[in-house]
Amino acid sequence: MNGTFPPDLPSEPAPPAVPTPASPPSSAPAAPRASAAPEGSGIGVLGMGTYLPARQRSNEEVAAAAGVSPAWISQRTGVHTRHAAAPDEAASDMAAAAVRSAVAAAGLDAGQLDLLVLATSTPDELGPATACRVQALTKARNAVAFDVSAACSGWLFGARVAHDLLRGDTGARYAAVVGVEAYSKFLDPADRGTAVLFADGAAAAVLGPVPAGEGFADFRLGSDGVLADNVLIPAGGSRTPAGTGTVAEGRHTIRMDGRAVRDFIVEMFPRIVSESLTRNRLRMADIEAFIVHQPNPRLLRSVGTELGVPPGRLPIVADEVGNIGAASTPYALATSAVNGPLRQGDRLLLAAIGAGMTWGSALLTWSGAPVIRTAPTADPLQRSTR
């Protein structure tokens, strides 16, 4: 049995990026609270931030442990490199870095956030919510912080929640939605089906009021719990608590039925896209970019070609970062804004598929929001062109 969550309201542009003062210490007065979004405005992206940990893992390194060749990884997946968190670096650390960058890009202070939604499959701990850890790290003291769990679809689920709360709460104006994964801590290096694909990283967006006609529209979410065993970490929860046996059996690492997941993506991705276009009376040519979760670059290119996505309109980022789960879709969006560059008014179709199985889509009219990317480069801060 499966469930779908129906439509919503439209929305999105952003103020120009400006230098952002550091959040005041906890003893200082909170930043002034902004009024609710003006009547008739939409909810869109005001700024974005991304973070990749410093350590990079090449195909040569991964192949040695997985018992395959570097060429096998490239040919089967299209992934060439990926990033791995440091031993003392948790999901909250990466997410906080992305949120700080997104808030700065939006020209805001963390104290102005009303909502902080975090999507992940690899939390710091089973409880409390990793979002609360990020709230403390970023000093977003006025935000309501909580997690959503929808695997690789998680950021899109979180964006829907934030969008609707901002539309419905007259006292709320700004929300940070961040996707983050520390998959490298939950991988069996010898499992070639997962070790070659999954990686670490974070990407965040600050959502807030934008002029009418811009921003998000037509969110659609779905799930089919019958397929929950297709991708999972079997132990560590209340059904199979951690113990010496579960550790010895390697049941705290990702298990994936690769064939079943591939077949689901091949069937579902065209359906998500086609149904969104049909509902909104749009053609492929009306979409400037298809911003989608990046499970496997080779598979994604193949599905896009069969679907008839126009050349150059399906940005691929997983070849350089791997599958970073809930961070994948916002990372692709931020990268497209920097490298595209996306132009204000461009219509985008967002789509994601994740474990559960879960899926979602939305339309987004781009506002020209700034992006700050924090990456292990000589010049770590990279701003998008407006």
Side-chain angles (χ1 to χ4, degrees):
M1 183 163 186
N2 68 71
T4 56
F5 195 25
D8 59 302
L9 310 168
S11 323
E12 177 179 18
V18 297
T20 306
S23 299
S26 57
S27 59
R33 309 297 284 158
S35 58
E39 187 69 27
S41 67
I43 301 296
V45 176
L46 304 182
M48 297 197 72
T50 69
Y51 173 83
L52 296 174
R55 184 187 173 205
Q56 296 187 52
R57 302 188 70 215
S58 66
N59 282 351
E60 286 72 21
E61 178 185 351
V62 174
V68 297
S69 69
W72 185 93
I73 298 175
S74 298
Q75 292 165 6
R76 295 293 185 96
T77 70
V79 177
H80 300 297
T81 187
R82 72 284 290 153
H83 294 258
D88 61 348
E89 191 172 35
S92 63
D93 299 314
M94 295 187 286
V99 169
R100 289 189 195 102
S101 292
V103 169
L108 299 174
D109 180 273
Q112 293 175 269
L113 294 176
D114 300 289
L115 187 66
L116 199 165
V117 184
L118 183 144
T120 190
S121 299
T122 55
D124 285 16
E125 53 259 321
L126 291 180
T130 300
C132 292
R133 299 291 190 190
V134 175
Q135 180 189 30
L137 289 169
T138 59
K139 298 182 172 61
R141 65 182 64 80
N142 296 309
V144 175
F146 57 89
D147 292 356
V148 296
S149 180
C152 299
S153 306
W155 184 84
L156 200 54
F157 277 54
R160 172 69 193 264
V161 172
H163 172 275
D164 288 3
L165 283 173
L166 291 178
R167 296 285 290 184
D169 185 343
T170 57
R173 187 171 176 87
Y174 301 119
V177 184
V178 57
V180 60
E181 301 295 356
Y183 280 139
S184 65
K185 299 174 187 286
F186 299 90
L187 290 175
D188 174 359
D191 179 9
R192 67 183 188 181
T194 58
V196 304
L197 287 171
F198 292 102
D200 302 345
V206 170
L207 274 54
V210 295
E214 296 188 341
F216 288 100
D218 192 39
F219 280 97
R220 292 290 175 122
L221 309 178
S223 60
D224 187 351
V226 171
L227 305 175
D229 287 340
N230 284 355
V231 193
L232 77 165
I233 298 175
S238 61
R239 181 167 300 282
T240 309
T244 54
T246 63
V247 172
E249 294 164 6
R251 303 190 68 197
H252 297 273
T253 57
I254 300 171
R255 304 282 182 88
M256 181 172 71
D257 183 336
R259 184 182 299 274
V261 171
R262 181 201 64 196
D263 291 348
F264 187 82
I265 292 170
V266 168
E267 174 189 355
M268 186 58 66
F269 179 61
R271 177 178 143 191
I272 291 172
V273 171
S274 298
E275 290 181 354
S276 179
L277 294 176
T278 299
R279 281 193 308 271
N280 294 281
R281 300 182 180 180
L282 297 171
R283 303 165 299 162
M284 284 280 185
D286 296 322
I287 305 298
E288 188 61 32
F290 295 80
I291 308 295
V292 303
H293 165 57
Q294 311 263 320
N296 174 318
R298 182 174 176 272
L299 176 61
L300 192 55
R301 288 188 177 95
S302 174
V303 173
T305 299
E306 289 192 18
L307 185 57
V309 175
R313 298 197 182 187
L314 181 62
I316 304 293
V317 297
D319 49 357
E320 299 299 329
V321 300
N323 182 346
I324 51 176
S328 181
T329 303
Y331 187 87
L333 177 59
T335 302
S336 298
V338 172
N339 296 340
L342 298 179
R343 297 163 298 183
Q344 185 168 346
D346 282 350
R347 183 186 285 117
L348 316 176
L349 197 159
L350 311 183
I353 294 172
M357 298 293 286
T358 59
W359 61 90
S361 68
L363 293 177
L364 174 62
T365 302
W366 188 241
S367 60
V371 178
I372 297 177
R373 299 193 296 179
T374 306
T377 64
D379 181 15
L381 294 185
Q382 303 174 38
R383 293 181 181 271
S384 68
T385 54
R386 291 303 302 269

